[in-house]
Amino acid sequence: MMGRGLLGIEDLDRDDIELILETAAHMKEVGERDVKKVPTLRGRTIINLFFESSTRTRTSFEIAGKRLSADVVNFSPSSSSLSKSESIIDTAKTLDAMDPDAVVVRHKVAGVPKRIADELEAPVINAGDGAHEHPTQALLDLMTVVEKKGRADGLTVTIVGDIAHSRVARSNIYAFTKMGAEVRVAGPPTMLPANVESLGVKAFGSLREAIDGADVVMALRIQRERLSGAIMPSVREYHATFGVDRAKLRFAKEDAIVMHPGPVNRGVELSHDLTDHRPSVILDQVRNGVALRMAVLYLLAGRPQPRPTEEEDS
Ligand code: CP
């Protein structure tokens, strides 16, 4: 998989995931040095092609590329020729003609990174597409769980919130089930896809039941921008029923950790107190995002270049 890009966790097997996590653990050590830079990707070019807003993913891909000494270009759709009606595919092919070594794509429509990958020479990394997948988020979540718990195998991971509209949920379901965890999902009926159990998870309409004995409780952002129609109870009702707070957390394991991919709607998915304090590991997730994305860039853009021939040398 690492030759052609990273479009989703669905495409990976356990060995791929373990390779990425092992590489990320080495990359994390670089971020802990005084000088947080290695020459690994010197001479390589990474293009960040974000058609949807982002703080964590875009910034961490940029920092990751720079820590590996790559040249990182942040493409800005609003000031590009997209505003002159150039299509996304023509834009991507134009950028590909400048010979980048990897292109990172986020788009609000599921399938756009794959569509772009089909046209490009450069490997494409999906940085989140609609409600489809967000593979690097799931990998950094997995990295954080393995750091905190020593493993994923055998753990119980409860994901609560808008499962139907969440690319984070989908990628995490693939990632944690492939690594041997029991995954439970919980949310209002309108936020649970009808066929969710076909992904190998257990679905619950009650957070109290879903959280019982859990090692990891992952709250998802309520994605107001992806909701159409009134499928959500009021915010107050949502928080009372599915918001994670210390009272509900008592039913999880004593050493359970609380995760959230961000950005958090404070007081909705998580109580204010849990957003800022242990056992929440939200900022550990963010920190690991840089190391994890360094690993993905290294594995994709760090491939050996063909050696110049003698003629080219002369
Ligand atoms: N978790 C996540 O994808 O956050 P951003 O939208 O800030 O990148």
Side-chain angles (χ1 to χ4, degrees):
M1 74 86 203
M2 295 311 280
R4 285 304 305 141
L6 175 60
L7 296 176
I9 303 291
E10 189 178 12
D11 306 328
L12 305 185
D13 61 26
R14 192 173 172 137
D15 286 346
D16 295 323
I17 294 172
E18 282 173 353
L19 171 67
I20 297 168
L21 295 189
E22 279 165 25
T23 310
H26 291 296
M27 295 300 178
K28 188 159 179 178
E29 186 267 323
V30 173
E32 289 162 355
R33 297 180 191 171
D34 275 353
V35 178
K36 301 176 178 61
K37 206 169 180 89
V38 288
T40 316
L41 292 186
R42 192 167 54 202
R44 308 290 162 100
T45 304
I46 314 292
I47 298 182
N48 277 332
L49 193 48
F50 278 59
F51 298 98
E52 192 187 60
S53 50
S54 166
T55 296
R56 292 151 198 77
T57 313
R58 200 202 60 75
T59 310
S60 60
F61 265 114
E62 181 174 353
I63 292 173
K66 287 179 172 171
R67 284 193 181 167
L68 293 167
S69 301
D71 297 309
V72 181
V73 176
N74 291 311
F75 174 84
S76 166
S78 61
S79 60
S80 75
S81 289
L82 286 162
S83 63
K84 294 184 250 173
S85 303
E86 187 164 38
S87 72
I88 288 176
I89 296 300
D90 284 344
T91 300
K93 285 163 87 168
T94 299
L95 296 172
D96 197 43
M98 300 178 200
D99 294 325
D101 296 281
V103 178
V104 183
V105 179
R106 169 173 285 194
H107 200 281
K108 67 180 180 184
V109 176
V112 169
K114 165 82 170 73
R115 178 77 184 82
I116 289 175
D118 288 344
E119 299 286 342
L120 264 53
E121 290 291 322
V124 171
I125 301 166
N126 179 3
D129 62 329
H132 174 228
E133 282 229 39
H134 192 350
T136 57
Q137 178 69 46
L139 290 164
L140 74 87
D141 290 341
L142 195 52
M143 177 180 178
T144 306
V145 168
V146 172
E147 263 185 13
K148 302 294 176 196
K149 299 288 175 190
R151 68 190 201 287
D153 213 345
L155 297 184
T156 299
V157 178
T158 299
I159 306 176
V160 55
D162 184 5
I163 309 296
H165 293 87
S166 175
R167 56 197 179 206
V168 175
R170 184 178 291 266
S171 288
N172 266 307
I173 287 169
Y174 289 132
F176 280 96
T177 54
K178 282 175 195 249
M179 298 308 284
E182 176 190 314
V183 179
R184 302 174 182 170
V185 295
T190 48
M191 293 185 180
L192 293 177
N195 60 349
V196 69
E197 294 199 334
S198 67
L199 297 176
V201 304
K202 294 181 188 167
F204 295 81
S206 148
L207 180 55
R208 159 75 185 80
E209 286 173 28
I211 223 170
D212 192 44
D215 299 280
V216 176
V217 179
M218 184 185 296
L220 300 175
R221 184 170 70 89
I222 295 302
Q223 302 190 49
R224 298 172 211 242
E225 73 276 22
R226 285 190 228 288
L227 297 178
S228 54
I231 70 163
M232 192 176 87
S234 70
V235 166
R236 183 192 293 262
E237 193 186 335
Y238 181 87
H239 183 67
T241 320
F242 290 101
V244 180
D245 57 19
R246 288 193 192 273
K248 297 193 190 86
L249 202 57
R250 277 187 297 124
F251 297 103
K253 289 224 177 90
E254 206 176 330
D255 62 351
I257 58 171
V258 174
M259 308 180 78
H260 192 297
V264 177
N265 292 305
R266 283 171 172 266
V268 181
E269 303 105 25
L270 286 181
S271 61
H272 287 270
D273 164 47
L274 268 185
T275 306
D276 294 319
H277 299 289
R278 299 288 178 199
S280 149
V281 296
I282 294 171
L283 295 181
D284 302 274
Q285 291 171 261
V286 174
R287 192 165 291 111
N288 284 338
V290 176
L292 189 285
R293 288 170 177 129
M294 287 171 76
V296 170
L297 291 176
Y298 166 72
L299 291 167
L300 283 168
R303 65 196 182 284
Q305 297 284 47
R307 289 169 63 84
T309 61
E310 279 181 25
E311 278 173 7
E312 285 169 333
D313 265 344
S314 58

